[in-house]
PDB file of all heavy atoms in Angstrom:
ATOM      1  N   PRO A   1       9.704  -3.923   0.109  1.00 97.00           N
ATOM      2  CA  PRO A   1       9.836  -5.052   1.044  1.00 97.00           C
ATOM      3  C   PRO A   1       8.633  -5.287   1.961  1.00 97.00           C
ATOM      4  O   PRO A   1       8.594  -6.279   2.689  1.00 97.00           O
ATOM      5  CB  PRO A   1      11.061  -4.697   1.891  1.00 97.00           C
ATOM      6  CG  PRO A   1      11.730  -3.567   1.205  1.00 97.00           C
ATOM      7  CD  PRO A   1      10.688  -2.883   0.380  1.00 97.00           C
ATOM      8  N   VAL A   2       7.650  -4.384   1.955  1.00 98.00           N
ATOM      9  CA  VAL A   2       6.479  -4.564   2.817  1.00 98.00           C
ATOM     10  C   VAL A   2       5.616  -5.663   2.198  1.00 98.00           C
ATOM     11  O   VAL A   2       5.045  -5.497   1.125  1.00 98.00           O
ATOM     12  CB  VAL A   2       5.678  -3.252   2.974  1.00 98.00           C
ATOM     13  CG1 VAL A   2       4.453  -3.483   3.851  1.00 98.00           C
ATOM     14  CG2 VAL A   2       6.558  -2.153   3.547  1.00 98.00           C
ATOM     15  N   LEU A   3       5.543  -6.798   2.894  1.00 97.00           N
ATOM     16  CA  LEU A   3       4.858  -7.979   2.370  1.00 97.00           C
ATOM     17  C   LEU A   3       3.464  -8.156   2.946  1.00 97.00           C
ATOM     18  O   LEU A   3       3.233  -7.899   4.127  1.00 97.00           O
ATOM     19  CB  LEU A   3       5.654  -9.240   2.694  1.00 97.00           C
ATOM     20  CG  LEU A   3       7.068  -9.350   2.153  1.00 97.00           C
ATOM     21  CD1 LEU A   3       7.692 -10.670   2.610  1.00 97.00           C
ATOM     22  CD2 LEU A   3       7.096  -9.246   0.649  1.00 97.00           C
ATOM     23  N   ASP A   4       2.567  -8.638   2.115  1.00 95.00           N
ATOM     24  CA  ASP A   4       1.275  -9.116   2.580  1.00 95.00           C
ATOM     25  C   ASP A   4       1.536 -10.526   3.103  1.00 95.00           C
ATOM     26  O   ASP A   4       1.887 -11.414   2.327  1.00 95.00           O
ATOM     27  CB  ASP A   4       0.269  -9.146   1.427  1.00 95.00           C
ATOM     28  CG  ASP A   4      -1.107  -9.605   1.872  1.00 95.00           C
ATOM     29  OD1 ASP A   4      -1.186 -10.641   2.574  1.00 95.00           O
ATOM     30  OD2 ASP A   4      -2.088  -8.955   1.516  1.00 95.00           O
ATOM     31  N   PRO A   5       1.405 -10.747   4.416  1.00 93.00           N
ATOM     32  CA  PRO A   5       1.779 -12.052   4.977  1.00 93.00           C
ATOM     33  C   PRO A   5       0.919 -13.217   4.499  1.00 93.00           C
ATOM     34  O   PRO A   5       1.373 -14.356   4.507  1.00 93.00           O
ATOM     35  CB  PRO A   5       1.656 -11.855   6.485  1.00 93.00           C
ATOM     36  CG  PRO A   5       0.848 -10.640   6.676  1.00 93.00           C
ATOM     37  CD  PRO A   5       0.960  -9.812   5.438  1.00 93.00           C
ATOM     38  N   GLU A   6      -0.287 -12.950   4.075  1.00 89.00           N
ATOM     39  CA  GLU A   6      -1.139 -14.037   3.580  1.00 89.00           C
ATOM     40  C   GLU A   6      -0.701 -14.518   2.205  1.00 89.00           C
ATOM     41  O   GLU A   6      -0.846 -15.686   1.876  1.00 89.00           O
ATOM     42  CB  GLU A   6      -2.599 -13.585   3.506  1.00 89.00           C
ATOM     43  CG  GLU A   6      -3.238 -13.417   4.867  1.00 89.00           C
ATOM     44  CD  GLU A   6      -4.706 -13.086   4.743  1.00 89.00           C
ATOM     45  OE1 GLU A   6      -5.046 -12.063   4.122  1.00 89.00           O
ATOM     46  OE2 GLU A   6      -5.512 -13.884   5.269  1.00 89.00           O
ATOM     47  N   ILE A   7      -0.171 -13.600   1.408  1.00 90.00           N
ATOM     48  CA  ILE A   7       0.191 -13.934   0.032  1.00 90.00           C
ATOM     49  C   ILE A   7       1.698 -14.119  -0.117  1.00 90.00           C
ATOM     50  O   ILE A   7       2.154 -14.874  -0.955  1.00 90.00           O
ATOM     51  CB  ILE A   7      -0.334 -12.845  -0.936  1.00 90.00           C
ATOM     52  CG1 ILE A   7      -1.855 -12.775  -0.837  1.00 90.00           C
ATOM     53  CG2 ILE A   7       0.082 -13.133  -2.371  1.00 90.00           C
ATOM     54  CD1 ILE A   7      -2.485 -11.671  -1.643  1.00 90.00           C
ATOM     55  N   GLY A   8       2.468 -13.423   0.719  1.00 93.00           N
ATOM     56  CA  GLY A   8       3.918 -13.538   0.652  1.00 93.00           C
ATOM     57  C   GLY A   8       4.550 -12.689  -0.436  1.00 93.00           C
ATOM     58  O   GLY A   8       5.682 -12.932  -0.834  1.00 93.00           O
ATOM     59  N   LEU A   9       3.821 -11.706  -0.926  1.00 96.00           N
ATOM     60  CA  LEU A   9       4.343 -10.790  -1.934  1.00 96.00           C
ATOM     61  C   LEU A   9       4.244  -9.364  -1.415  1.00 96.00           C
ATOM     62  O   LEU A   9       3.412  -9.052  -0.556  1.00 96.00           O
ATOM     63  CB  LEU A   9       3.545 -10.902  -3.236  1.00 96.00           C
ATOM     64  CG  LEU A   9       3.708 -12.196  -4.013  1.00 96.00           C
ATOM     65  CD1 LEU A   9       2.666 -12.296  -5.111  1.00 96.00           C
ATOM     66  CD2 LEU A   9       5.108 -12.291  -4.597  1.00 96.00           C
ATOM     67  N   GLY A  10       5.071  -8.480  -1.983  1.00 97.00           N
ATOM     68  CA  GLY A  10       5.085  -7.092  -1.565  1.00 97.00           C
ATOM     69  C   GLY A  10       3.866  -6.324  -2.043  1.00 97.00           C
ATOM     70  O   GLY A  10       3.276  -6.632  -3.085  1.00 97.00           O
ATOM     71  N   LEU A  11       3.518  -5.307  -1.272  1.00 97.00           N
ATOM     72  CA  LEU A  11       2.357  -4.479  -1.615  1.00 97.00           C
ATOM     73  C   LEU A  11       2.526  -3.788  -2.961  1.00 97.00           C
ATOM     74  O   LEU A  11       1.552  -3.636  -3.702  1.00 97.00           O
ATOM     75  CB  LEU A  11       2.131  -3.429  -0.523  1.00 97.00           C
ATOM     76  CG  LEU A  11       1.925  -3.926   0.907  1.00 97.00           C
ATOM     77  CD1 LEU A  11       1.610  -2.758   1.830  1.00 97.00           C
ATOM     78  CD2 LEU A  11       0.849  -4.976   0.971  1.00 97.00           C
ATOM     79  N   VAL A  12       3.755  -3.388  -3.282  1.00 98.00           N
ATOM     80  CA  VAL A  12       3.992  -2.721  -4.563  1.00 98.00           C
ATOM     81  C   VAL A  12       3.770  -3.709  -5.708  1.00 98.00           C
ATOM     82  O   VAL A  12       3.076  -3.404  -6.680  1.00 98.00           O
ATOM     83  CB  VAL A  12       5.411  -2.112  -4.609  1.00 98.00           C
ATOM     84  CG1 VAL A  12       5.732  -1.574  -5.998  1.00 98.00           C
ATOM     85  CG2 VAL A  12       5.548  -1.000  -3.561  1.00 98.00           C
ATOM     86  N   ASP A  13       4.346  -4.920  -5.605  1.00 97.00           N
ATOM     87  CA  ASP A  13       4.169  -5.918  -6.667  1.00 97.00           C
ATOM     88  C   ASP A  13       2.713  -6.349  -6.800  1.00 97.00           C
ATOM     89  O   ASP A  13       2.258  -6.658  -7.901  1.00 97.00           O
ATOM     90  CB  ASP A  13       5.049  -7.141  -6.432  1.00 97.00           C
ATOM     91  CG  ASP A  13       6.480  -6.901  -6.874  1.00 97.00           C
ATOM     92  OD1 ASP A  13       6.680  -6.256  -7.924  1.00 97.00           O
ATOM     93  OD2 ASP A  13       7.403  -7.358  -6.176  1.00 97.00           O
ATOM     94  N   LEU A  14       1.994  -6.380  -5.698  1.00 97.00           N
ATOM     95  CA  LEU A  14       0.586  -6.757  -5.763  1.00 97.00           C
ATOM     96  C   LEU A  14      -0.279  -5.660  -6.378  1.00 97.00           C
ATOM     97  O   LEU A  14      -1.422  -5.908  -6.754  1.00 97.00           O
ATOM     98  CB  LEU A  14       0.064  -7.095  -4.363  1.00 97.00           C
ATOM     99  CG  LEU A  14       0.550  -8.420  -3.799  1.00 97.00           C
ATOM    100  CD1 LEU A  14       0.200  -8.524  -2.317  1.00 97.00           C
ATOM    101  CD2 LEU A  14      -0.041  -9.584  -4.585  1.00 97.00           C
ATOM    102  N   GLY A  15       0.262  -4.457  -6.481  1.00 97.00           N
ATOM    103  CA  GLY A  15      -0.518  -3.351  -7.039  1.00 97.00           C
ATOM    104  C   GLY A  15      -1.424  -2.700  -6.015  1.00 97.00           C
ATOM    105  O   GLY A  15      -2.413  -2.053  -6.379  1.00 97.00           O
ATOM    106  N   LEU A  16      -1.109  -2.846  -4.748  1.00 98.00           N
ATOM    107  CA  LEU A  16      -1.943  -2.281  -3.689  1.00 98.00           C
ATOM    108  C   LEU A  16      -1.616  -0.819  -3.389  1.00 98.00           C
ATOM    109  O   LEU A  16      -2.389  -0.147  -2.707  1.00 98.00           O
ATOM    110  CB  LEU A  16      -1.812  -3.116  -2.409  1.00 98.00           C
ATOM    111  CG  LEU A  16      -2.283  -4.567  -2.535  1.00 98.00           C
ATOM    112  CD1 LEU A  16      -1.948  -5.350  -1.271  1.00 98.00           C
ATOM    113  CD2 LEU A  16      -3.760  -4.634  -2.833  1.00 98.00           C
ATOM    114  N   ILE A  17      -0.488  -0.339  -3.887  1.00 98.00           N
ATOM    115  CA  ILE A  17      -0.131   1.073  -3.741  1.00 98.00           C
ATOM    116  C   ILE A  17      -0.633   1.784  -4.991  1.00 98.00           C
ATOM    117  O   ILE A  17      -0.120   1.593  -6.086  1.00 98.00           O
ATOM    118  CB  ILE A  17       1.393   1.261  -3.578  1.00 98.00           C
ATOM    119  CG1 ILE A  17       1.940   0.414  -2.422  1.00 98.00           C
ATOM    120  CG2 ILE A  17       1.720   2.739  -3.406  1.00 98.00           C
ATOM    121  CD1 ILE A  17       1.377   0.749  -1.053  1.00 98.00           C
ATOM    122  N   TYR A  18      -1.663   2.587  -4.836  1.00 98.00           N
ATOM    123  CA  TYR A  18      -2.292   3.246  -5.974  1.00 98.00           C
ATOM    124  C   TYR A  18      -1.597   4.540  -6.367  1.00 98.00           C
ATOM    125  O   TYR A  18      -1.541   4.880  -7.534  1.00 98.00           O
ATOM    126  CB  TYR A  18      -3.757   3.540  -5.675  1.00 98.00           C
ATOM    127  CG  TYR A  18      -4.678   2.339  -5.727  1.00 98.00           C
ATOM    128  CD1 TYR A  18      -6.023   2.491  -5.462  1.00 98.00           C
ATOM    129  CD2 TYR A  18      -4.212   1.071  -6.038  1.00 98.00           C
ATOM    130  CE1 TYR A  18      -6.891   1.412  -5.506  1.00 98.00           C
ATOM    131  CE2 TYR A  18      -5.066  -0.009  -6.085  1.00 98.00           C
ATOM    132  CZ  TYR A  18      -6.407   0.163  -5.819  1.00 98.00           C
ATOM    133  OH  TYR A  18      -7.258  -0.906  -5.876  1.00 98.00           O
ATOM    134  N   ASP A  19      -1.092   5.292  -5.382  1.00 97.00           N
ATOM    135  CA  ASP A  19      -0.496   6.578  -5.705  1.00 97.00           C
ATOM    136  C   ASP A  19       0.450   6.997  -4.588  1.00 97.00           C
ATOM    137  O   ASP A  19       0.192   6.726  -3.412  1.00 97.00           O
ATOM    138  CB  ASP A  19      -1.598   7.642  -5.870  1.00 97.00           C
ATOM    139  CG  ASP A  19      -1.074   8.961  -6.399  1.00 97.00           C
ATOM    140  OD1 ASP A  19      -0.220   8.941  -7.309  1.00 97.00           O
ATOM    141  OD2 ASP A  19      -1.510  10.009  -5.897  1.00 97.00           O
ATOM    142  N   VAL A  20       1.537   7.657  -4.982  1.00 98.00           N
ATOM    143  CA  VAL A  20       2.474   8.260  -4.040  1.00 98.00           C
ATOM    144  C   VAL A  20       2.696   9.692  -4.502  1.00 98.00           C
ATOM    145  O   VAL A  20       2.993   9.930  -5.676  1.00 98.00           O
ATOM    146  CB  VAL A  20       3.822   7.507  -4.010  1.00 98.00           C
ATOM    147  CG1 VAL A  20       4.841   8.242  -3.155  1.00 98.00           C
ATOM    148  CG2 VAL A  20       3.640   6.079  -3.509  1.00 98.00           C
ATOM    149  N   MET A  21       2.565  10.628  -3.580  1.00 97.00           N
ATOM    150  CA  MET A  21       2.799  12.025  -3.901  1.00 97.00           C
ATOM    151  C   MET A  21       3.699  12.620  -2.824  1.00 97.00           C
ATOM    152  O   MET A  21       3.428  12.456  -1.631  1.00 97.00           O
ATOM    153  CB  MET A  21       1.486  12.797  -3.960  1.00 97.00           C
ATOM    154  CG  MET A  21       1.662  14.226  -4.427  1.00 97.00           C
ATOM    155  SD  MET A  21       0.099  15.104  -4.613  1.00 97.00           S
ATOM    156  CE  MET A  21      -0.298  15.455  -2.917  1.00 97.00           C
ATOM    157  N   VAL A  22       4.762  13.276  -3.262  1.00 97.00           N
ATOM    158  CA  VAL A  22       5.661  13.971  -2.341  1.00 97.00           C
ATOM    159  C   VAL A  22       5.404  15.463  -2.489  1.00 97.00           C
ATOM    160  O   VAL A  22       5.535  16.025  -3.569  1.00 97.00           O
ATOM    161  CB  VAL A  22       7.139  13.637  -2.648  1.00 97.00           C
ATOM    162  CG1 VAL A  22       8.053  14.385  -1.678  1.00 97.00           C
ATOM    163  CG2 VAL A  22       7.387  12.135  -2.576  1.00 97.00           C
ATOM    164  N   GLU A  23       5.039  16.093  -1.379  1.00 97.00           N
ATOM    165  CA  GLU A  23       4.777  17.532  -1.392  1.00 97.00           C
ATOM    166  C   GLU A  23       6.080  18.308  -1.185  1.00 97.00           C
ATOM    167  O   GLU A  23       7.066  17.751  -0.691  1.00 97.00           O
ATOM    168  CB  GLU A  23       3.752  17.872  -0.308  1.00 97.00           C
ATOM    169  CG  GLU A  23       2.400  17.238  -0.589  1.00 97.00           C
ATOM    170  CD  GLU A  23       1.318  17.692   0.369  1.00 97.00           C
ATOM    171  OE1 GLU A  23       1.627  18.221   1.456  1.00 97.00           O
ATOM    172  OE2 GLU A  23       0.138  17.513   0.011  1.00 97.00           O
ATOM    173  N   PRO A  24       6.088  19.585  -1.522  1.00 96.00           N
ATOM    174  CA  PRO A  24       7.313  20.387  -1.418  1.00 96.00           C
ATOM    175  C   PRO A  24       7.908  20.466  -0.010  1.00 96.00           C
ATOM    176  O   PRO A  24       9.092  20.738   0.145  1.00 96.00           O
ATOM    177  CB  PRO A  24       6.881  21.786  -1.892  1.00 96.00           C
ATOM    178  CG  PRO A  24       5.694  21.539  -2.754  1.00 96.00           C
ATOM    179  CD  PRO A  24       5.012  20.336  -2.177  1.00 96.00           C
ATOM    180  N   ASP A  25       7.091  20.212   1.024  1.00 96.00           N
ATOM    181  CA  ASP A  25       7.605  20.253   2.397  1.00 96.00           C
ATOM    182  C   ASP A  25       8.083  18.887   2.884  1.00 96.00           C
ATOM    183  O   ASP A  25       8.449  18.730   4.045  1.00 96.00           O
ATOM    184  CB  ASP A  25       6.541  20.810   3.350  1.00 96.00           C
ATOM    185  CG  ASP A  25       5.287  19.949   3.427  1.00 96.00           C
ATOM    186  OD1 ASP A  25       5.189  18.943   2.691  1.00 96.00           O
ATOM    187  OD2 ASP A  25       4.398  20.290   4.231  1.00 96.00           O
ATOM    188  N   GLY A  26       8.104  17.878   1.999  1.00 96.00           N
ATOM    189  CA  GLY A  26       8.576  16.541   2.379  1.00 96.00           C
ATOM    190  C   GLY A  26       7.486  15.616   2.878  1.00 96.00           C
ATOM    191  O   GLY A  26       7.751  14.459   3.195  1.00 96.00           O
ATOM    192  N   LYS A  27       6.260  16.099   2.941  1.00 98.00           N
ATOM    193  CA  LYS A  27       5.142  15.244   3.346  1.00 98.00           C
ATOM    194  C   LYS A  27       4.834  14.277   2.208  1.00 98.00           C
ATOM    195  O   LYS A  27       4.752  14.665   1.053  1.00 98.00           O
ATOM    196  CB  LYS A  27       3.906  16.078   3.656  1.00 98.00           C
ATOM    197  CG  LYS A  27       2.713  15.261   4.100  1.00 98.00           C
ATOM    198  CD  LYS A  27       1.542  16.156   4.473  1.00 98.00           C
ATOM    199  CE  LYS A  27       0.366  15.352   4.951  1.00 98.00           C
ATOM    200  NZ  LYS A  27      -0.756  16.211   5.377  1.00 98.00           N
ATOM    201  N   VAL A  28       4.670  13.019   2.561  1.00 98.00           N
ATOM    202  CA  VAL A  28       4.365  11.976   1.580  1.00 98.00           C
ATOM    203  C   VAL A  28       2.928  11.527   1.780  1.00 98.00           C
ATOM    204  O   VAL A  28       2.526  11.181   2.899  1.00 98.00           O
ATOM    205  CB  VAL A  28       5.328  10.777   1.730  1.00 98.00           C
ATOM    206  CG1 VAL A  28       4.915   9.632   0.836  1.00 98.00           C
ATOM    207  CG2 VAL A  28       6.752  11.210   1.438  1.00 98.00           C
ATOM    208  N   LYS A  29       2.176  11.547   0.682  1.00 98.00           N
ATOM    209  CA  LYS A  29       0.790  11.073   0.712  1.00 98.00           C
ATOM    210  C   LYS A  29       0.729   9.788  -0.109  1.00 98.00           C
ATOM    211  O   LYS A  29       1.143   9.768  -1.269  1.00 98.00           O
ATOM    212  CB  LYS A  29      -0.155  12.115   0.134  1.00 98.00           C
ATOM    213  CG  LYS A  29      -0.278  13.355   0.994  1.00 98.00           C
ATOM    214  CD  LYS A  29      -1.301  14.304   0.421  1.00 98.00           C
ATOM    215  CE  LYS A  29      -1.498  15.498   1.334  1.00 98.00           C
ATOM    216  NZ  LYS A  29      -2.555  16.392   0.815  1.00 98.00           N
ATOM    217  N   ILE A  30       0.216   8.751   0.521  1.00 98.00           N
ATOM    218  CA  ILE A  30       0.104   7.449  -0.127  1.00 98.00           C
ATOM    219  C   ILE A  30      -1.354   7.052  -0.173  1.00 98.00           C
ATOM    220  O   ILE A  30      -2.057   7.105   0.841  1.00 98.00           O
ATOM    221  CB  ILE A  30       0.904   6.375   0.639  1.00 98.00           C
ATOM    222  CG1 ILE A  30       2.390   6.746   0.662  1.00 98.00           C
ATOM    223  CG2 ILE A  30       0.687   4.985   0.032  1.00 98.00           C
ATOM    224  CD1 ILE A  30       3.226   5.889   1.582  1.00 98.00           C
ATOM    225  N   LYS A  31      -1.797   6.665  -1.358  1.00 98.00           N
ATOM    226  CA  LYS A  31      -3.142   6.135  -1.527  1.00 98.00           C
ATOM    227  C   LYS A  31      -2.964   4.647  -1.799  1.00 98.00           C
ATOM    228  O   LYS A  31      -2.245   4.250  -2.721  1.00 98.00           O
ATOM    229  CB  LYS A  31      -3.847   6.811  -2.700  1.00 98.00           C
ATOM    230  CG  LYS A  31      -5.328   6.526  -2.766  1.00 98.00           C
ATOM    231  CD  LYS A  31      -5.994   7.187  -3.955  1.00 98.00           C
ATOM    232  CE  LYS A  31      -5.884   8.699  -3.888  1.00 98.00           C
ATOM    233  NZ  LYS A  31      -6.612   9.355  -4.999  1.00 98.00           N
ATOM    234  N   MET A  32      -3.590   3.827  -0.963  1.00 98.00           N
ATOM    235  CA  MET A  32      -3.426   2.381  -1.108  1.00 98.00           C
ATOM    236  C   MET A  32      -4.718   1.655  -0.785  1.00 98.00           C
ATOM    237  O   MET A  32      -5.666   2.247  -0.274  1.00 98.00           O
ATOM    238  CB  MET A  32      -2.302   1.873  -0.203  1.00 98.00           C
ATOM    239  CG  MET A  32      -2.583   1.990   1.288  1.00 98.00           C
ATOM    240  SD  MET A  32      -1.271   1.311   2.339  1.00 98.00           S
ATOM    241  CE  MET A  32      -1.522  -0.449   2.126  1.00 98.00           C
ATOM    242  N   THR A  33      -4.725   0.367  -1.097  1.00 97.00           N
ATOM    243  CA  THR A  33      -5.857  -0.482  -0.776  1.00 97.00           C
ATOM    244  C   THR A  33      -5.325  -1.770  -0.167  1.00 97.00           C
ATOM    245  O   THR A  33      -4.120  -1.940   0.007  1.00 97.00           O
ATOM    246  CB  THR A  33      -6.714  -0.751  -2.033  1.00 97.00           C
ATOM    247  OG1 THR A  33      -7.972  -1.302  -1.625  1.00 97.00           O
ATOM    248  CG2 THR A  33      -6.022  -1.679  -3.012  1.00 97.00           C
ATOM    249  N   LEU A  34      -6.227  -2.660   0.157  1.00 96.00           N
ATOM    250  CA  LEU A  34      -5.884  -3.995   0.651  1.00 96.00           C
ATOM    251  C   LEU A  34      -6.537  -5.006  -0.281  1.00 96.00           C
ATOM    252  O   LEU A  34      -7.402  -4.649  -1.077  1.00 96.00           O
ATOM    253  CB  LEU A  34      -6.391  -4.175   2.085  1.00 96.00           C
ATOM    254  CG  LEU A  34      -5.862  -3.175   3.110  1.00 96.00           C
ATOM    255  CD1 LEU A  34      -6.597  -3.336   4.436  1.00 96.00           C
ATOM    256  CD2 LEU A  34      -4.362  -3.324   3.298  1.00 96.00           C
ATOM    257  N   THR A  35      -6.146  -6.258  -0.175  1.00 93.00           N
ATOM    258  CA  THR A  35      -6.724  -7.265  -1.066  1.00 93.00           C
ATOM    259  C   THR A  35      -8.219  -7.413  -0.845  1.00 93.00           C
ATOM    260  O   THR A  35      -8.958  -7.677  -1.792  1.00 93.00           O
ATOM    261  CB  THR A  35      -6.029  -8.625  -0.891  1.00 93.00           C
ATOM    262  OG1 THR A  35      -6.090  -9.002   0.493  1.00 93.00           O
ATOM    263  CG2 THR A  35      -4.586  -8.569  -1.363  1.00 93.00           C
ATOM    264  N   THR A  36      -8.672  -7.238   0.389  1.00 92.00           N
ATOM    265  CA  THR A  36     -10.103  -7.255   0.707  1.00 92.00           C
ATOM    266  C   THR A  36     -10.358  -6.311   1.886  1.00 92.00           C
ATOM    267  O   THR A  36      -9.465  -6.098   2.702  1.00 92.00           O
ATOM    268  CB  THR A  36     -10.619  -8.660   1.130  1.00 92.00           C
ATOM    269  OG1 THR A  36     -10.058  -8.984   2.403  1.00 92.00           O
ATOM    270  CG2 THR A  36     -10.272  -9.716   0.102  1.00 92.00           C
ATOM    271  N   PRO A  37     -11.565  -5.774   2.006  1.00 93.00           N
ATOM    272  CA  PRO A  37     -11.869  -4.936   3.169  1.00 93.00           C
ATOM    273  C   PRO A  37     -11.742  -5.688   4.495  1.00 93.00           C
ATOM    274  O   PRO A  37     -11.498  -5.072   5.528  1.00 93.00           O
ATOM    275  CB  PRO A  37     -13.316  -4.501   2.922  1.00 93.00           C
ATOM    276  CG  PRO A  37     -13.483  -4.564   1.447  1.00 93.00           C
ATOM    277  CD  PRO A  37     -12.650  -5.750   1.016  1.00 93.00           C
ATOM    278  N   ALA A  38     -11.873  -7.007   4.471  1.00 93.00           N
ATOM    279  CA  ALA A  38     -11.788  -7.799   5.695  1.00 93.00           C
ATOM    280  C   ALA A  38     -10.383  -8.333   5.964  1.00 93.00           C
ATOM    281  O   ALA A  38     -10.210  -9.206   6.805  1.00 93.00           O
ATOM    282  CB  ALA A  38     -12.771  -8.963   5.612  1.00 93.00           C
ATOM    283  N   CYS A  39      -9.379  -7.808   5.289  1.00 92.00           N
ATOM    284  CA  CYS A  39      -8.006  -8.275   5.454  1.00 92.00           C
ATOM    285  C   CYS A  39      -7.619  -8.245   6.933  1.00 92.00           C
ATOM    286  O   CYS A  39      -7.636  -7.185   7.564  1.00 92.00           O
ATOM    287  CB  CYS A  39      -7.047  -7.404   4.652  1.00 92.00           C
ATOM    288  SG  CYS A  39      -5.316  -7.819   4.896  1.00 92.00           S
ATOM    289  N   PRO A  40      -7.267  -9.409   7.521  1.00 94.00           N
ATOM    290  CA  PRO A  40      -6.941  -9.434   8.941  1.00 94.00           C
ATOM    291  C   PRO A  40      -5.637  -8.718   9.285  1.00 94.00           C
ATOM    292  O   PRO A  40      -5.385  -8.427  10.449  1.00 94.00           O
ATOM    293  CB  PRO A  40      -6.848 -10.929   9.255  1.00 94.00           C
ATOM    294  CG  PRO A  40      -6.525 -11.574   7.956  1.00 94.00           C
ATOM    295  CD  PRO A  40      -7.192 -10.727   6.908  1.00 94.00           C
ATOM    296  N   TYR A  41      -4.821  -8.435   8.300  1.00 95.00           N
ATOM    297  CA  TYR A  41      -3.543  -7.760   8.526  1.00 95.00           C
ATOM    298  C   TYR A  41      -3.589  -6.284   8.137  1.00 95.00           C
ATOM    299  O   TYR A  41      -2.545  -5.642   8.043  1.00 95.00           O
ATOM    300  CB  TYR A  41      -2.428  -8.459   7.730  1.00 95.00           C
ATOM    301  CG  TYR A  41      -2.209  -9.868   8.188  1.00 95.00           C
ATOM    302  CD1 TYR A  41      -2.719 -10.942   7.464  1.00 95.00           C
ATOM    303  CD2 TYR A  41      -1.509 -10.140   9.358  1.00 95.00           C
ATOM    304  CE1 TYR A  41      -2.531 -12.244   7.891  1.00 95.00           C
ATOM    305  CE2 TYR A  41      -1.313 -11.436   9.792  1.00 95.00           C
ATOM    306  CZ  TYR A  41      -1.828 -12.479   9.059  1.00 95.00           C
ATOM    307  OH  TYR A  41      -1.640 -13.771   9.484  1.00 95.00           O
TER     308      TYR A  41
END
């Protein structure tokens, strides 16, 4: 449900979430990007 407000689509559908890793202690590591480095949001 996390939407990019400029595009109106979710980050997952846009492919902006590159990786999710859950460690044994419950820590979640997320590797993500934005549509551009200058993204105002």
Side-chain angles (χ1 to χ4, degrees):
V2 179
L3 300 179
D4 182 312
E6 289 185 301
I7 299 175
L9 291 168
L11 303 184
V12 173
D13 280 321
L14 287 169
L16 298 173
I17 306 298
Y18 285 180
D19 188 41
V20 173
M21 186 176 77
V22 180
E23 295 187 342
D25 63 356
K27 181 177 182 177
V28 173
K29 292 184 176 183
I30 299 170
K31 192 181 298 184
M32 66 177 286
T33 194
L34 301 172
T35 55
T36 69
C39 175
Y41 297 102

